[in-house]
Amino acid sequence: MKLTLSAMQWAMFTLAGSIVAPLAIGQAYGMSAQEIGEFVQRTLFVMGIVALMQTWRGHRLPIMEGPAVLWWGVFLLFGTMAPALGQEPRSILPALGLGLVFSGILFGLMSVCGWITVIRRLFTPAVIGTYFLLLVAQMSGPFISGILSAKENPFDWKGPAISIATLVLSLGLARSSKPFLRNYSVLIAIIFGWSLFQLCGLNQQAGGAWDAVFTLPGVWSFGWPEWNGGILFTSAIVTVLLLSNMIASMEAVGQVIGRTDRGNEKRSGLIMGASQTLSAVFSTVGFVPLSYTAGFIMTTRMKEKLPFILGNLFLVVISFFPAVTGLFASIPVSVGYASMFLSFVNMLGMGLREISRGGLDERQVYIVGISLMIGIGCMFLPASFFLAVPPFLSPLLSNGLLMGVGTCLLLDRLVRREEKVQSYL
């Protein structure tokens, strides 16, 4: 019973955090309800397969895979730009497929050449702590907006009220004195919020009507890959940035479960390359290990790999049954945000502890302070600014998390330890 509940909690948590991307991208590209349902099906299939591959032969950690925010942003960016270039948004999708294949090849090369091991040495306590703090800062806006359904039109107070109730319940259960309620707080919160949405008639199915009971995920649904120099260049930048994301996720989860060995970088990178290629073949957005899995493990205290493996097997299995996929994909986005809220709060604590582990001297404060200012500042750049910069720079400049971490990596190498901060002011 315990194993079943733990596996189901992993599956539900993964679903809640991954459904938003295919829904948003599908709507941006004008896909029908049926096409969005198929998009969700392919997303769950590839996501589950990649997580199992990483657990078996890659980093061997219980790290949830999910649509990479960077790839998500690239899909939306080029889809928005297509009309301005006199193209239909869907005509961009084959080129994005080639971009994913290119990214997979780059990941393979970086792994074989040993670059991942070299890059991992750059992730000092200051860099890792800054990453966690910026992650919480970047996601706080979408979380509050999602819980309150701020973008819904017309606005209905019932949805936000249920989401807030779900949030309060999850926070209360996480602090319960009873281990069962504490360990399964996320699962209980999702079921609670999802059920209330159903009772109030607010839930929507994430796919169209299905004729077949059993279907295999389609391949090359976006069309055969096509050449686009700008997208390939953007893919190269995204690949390097996803590499840092992967390393940070491995560091975070490794610390939470008490595993500190660092011998899996090459295998993890190779499977990341396979992940990007599979995403192209099955026409979905690229995936990356999600660092907020560490917060989830801290909240639920589930460090075992078996429930994680079974949860991802469940996702792969239900991806073959469209009706079941549509049912689970109908988990309200706002409920997903509410149930994951505490996991991100725990990431804040990890960031503060990590920075403290490296010492709070003047040099550390100087580096972290500048990195946070630049990273958080980039999060507030207006959309009009990105119309004036080259498209391949937009994914970088619009991502305050990566701008801040990049600044921290640079300063951590340039600022000598013996110098005082006064010499820089």
Side-chain angles (χ1 to χ4, degrees), residues 29-50:
Y29 281 86
M31 297 182 187
S32 65
Q34 180 83 12
E35 290 172 320
I36 291 176
E38 293 170 354
F39 195 177
V40 171
Q41 177 193 25
R42 298 192 301 269
T43 298
L44 296 183
F45 175 75
V46 177
M47 185 170 60
I49 292 294
V50 172

Side-chain angles (χ1 to χ4, degrees), residues 374-396:
I374 291 176
I376 295 174
C378 287
M379 298 176 192
F380 291 93
L381 289 173
S384 57
F385 170 79
F386 300 106
L387 298 176
V389 299
F392 60 84
L393 287 178
S394 295
L396 176 61

Side-chain angles (χ1 to χ4, degrees), residues 106-129:
L106 289 180
F107 262 113
L109 288 174
M110 289 191 293
S111 302
V112 172
C113 295
W115 296 348
I116 295 179
T117 304
V118 174
I119 293 173
R120 186 164 188 171
R121 296 195 191 105
L122 302 177
F123 279 72
T124 62
V127 176
I128 297 172

Side-chain angles (χ1 to χ4, degrees), residues 144 147-148 157-171 192 197 334-335 338:
I144 299 301
I147 291 171
L148 297 178
W157 64 268
K158 293 180 183 177
I162 294 173
S163 301
I164 293 172
T166 303
L167 172 60
V168 172
L169 177 65
S170 67
L171 296 178
F192 170 79
F197 263 81
S334 57
V335 169

Side-chain angles (χ1 to χ4, degrees), residues 15-17 19-20 23 142-152 155-168 170 189-190 193-194 196-197 202-203 329-341:
L15 277 165
I19 292 300
V20 181
L23 295 181
F143 260 71
I144 299 301
S145 177
I147 291 171
L148 297 178
S149 302
K151 296 183 179 180
E152 292 292 330
F155 180 81
D156 187 345
W157 64 268
K158 293 180 183 177
I162 294 173
S163 301
I164 293 172
T166 303
L167 172 60
V168 172
S170 67
I190 291 176
W194 190 14
L196 286 183
F197 263 81
L202 300 175
N203 217 7
S330 66
I331 296 174
V333 174
S334 57
V335 169
Y337 278 123
S339 62
M340 293 189 292
F341 189 88

Side-chain angles (χ1 to χ4, degrees), residues 28 54 66 100 133 143 145 156 182 199 208 211 242 246 254 266-267 273 275 293 296 298 318 327 339 342 392:
Q54 286 284 16
L100 284 165
L133 295 182
F143 260 71
S145 177
D156 187 345
R182 198 168 56 236
L199 290 173
D211 296 326
L242 287 180
M246 182 190 78
K266 182 178 291 188
R267 294 197 303 267
S275 167
T293 307
F296 172 75
M298 291 177 67
I318 68 169
L327 173 64
S339 62
L342 187 58
F392 60 84

Side-chain angles (χ1 to χ4, degrees), residues 68-152:
V69 174
L70 275 170
W71 275 122
W72 184 0
V74 168
F75 269 69
L76 294 178
L77 173 68
F78 282 97
T80 303
M81 290 174 53
L85 300 174
Q87 298 177 282
E88 288 291 329
R90 292 202 185 199
S91 66
I92 299 293
L93 289 173
L96 288 168
L98 184 60
L100 284 165
V101 173
F102 184 55
S103 175
I105 294 172
L106 289 180
F107 262 113
L109 288 174
M110 289 191 293
S111 302
V112 172
C113 295
W115 296 348
I116 295 179
T117 304
V118 174
I119 293 173
R120 186 164 188 171
R121 296 195 191 105
L122 302 177
F123 279 72
T124 62
V127 176
I128 297 172
T130 299
Y131 175 89
F132 290 151
L133 295 182
L134 286 172
L135 178 66
V136 175
Q138 179 160 298
M139 294 304 296
S140 60
F143 260 71
I144 299 301
S145 177
I147 291 171
L148 297 178
S149 302
K151 296 183 179 180
E152 292 292 330

